[in-house]
């Protein structure tokens, strides 16, 4: 039987997975194509801002609540769908 991670570990894992999956380091010219569905640059900026905010909070020993982890996960899931429509993630 595996033990569920605590909220801090779960948030750190989510942040690590999103940072590894989303193209944050791709040049702007490769993100903004001729035709965009939504604005992938703005979507990435929104997620990056949220991730940086949580990284800062975690560094200051703020413990996230389950609802906050769920909310960030939902945001990332929706942004990923937009990035996929634009061919930026698989």
């Amino acid at each position: 039987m595996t033990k569920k991670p605590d909220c801090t570990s779960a948030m750190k894992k989510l942040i690590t997975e999103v940072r590894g999956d989303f193209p944050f380091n791709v040049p702007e010219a490769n993100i903004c194509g001729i035709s965009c569905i939504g604005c992938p640059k703005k979507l990435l900026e929104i997620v990056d801002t949220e991730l940086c905010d949580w990284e800062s909070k975690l560094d200051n020993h703020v413990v996230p609540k389950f609802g906050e982890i769920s909310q960030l996960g939902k945001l990332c899931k929706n942004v990923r769908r937009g990035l996929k429509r634009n061919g930026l993630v698989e």
Side-chain angles (χ1 to χ4, degrees), residues 6-8 54 57-58 60-66 68-69:
D6 60 280
C7 288
T8 301
W54 272 108
K57 287 179 182 179
L58 292 172
N60 290 316
H61 308 290
V62 173
V63 178
K65 296 177 180 144
F66 179 76
E68 293 168 324
I69 299 167

Side-chain angles (χ1 to χ4, degrees), residues 9-11 26 37 39 65 80:
S9 299
M11 183 63 89
V26 173
I37 303 168
C39 181
K65 296 177 180 144
R80 188 175 198 292

Side-chain angles (χ1 to χ4, degrees), residues 21-22 37-38 40 43-44 47 73-90:
D21 187 38
F22 285 14
I37 303 168
L43 293 174
L44 285 171
V47 172
K74 184 177 179 181
L75 170 69
C76 294
K77 179 181 176 182
N78 289 335
V79 168
R80 188 175 198 292
R81 200 172 323 132
L83 296 175
K84 189 171 184 177
R85 273 188 234 122
N86 286 288
L88 296 170
V89 293
E90 292 295 318

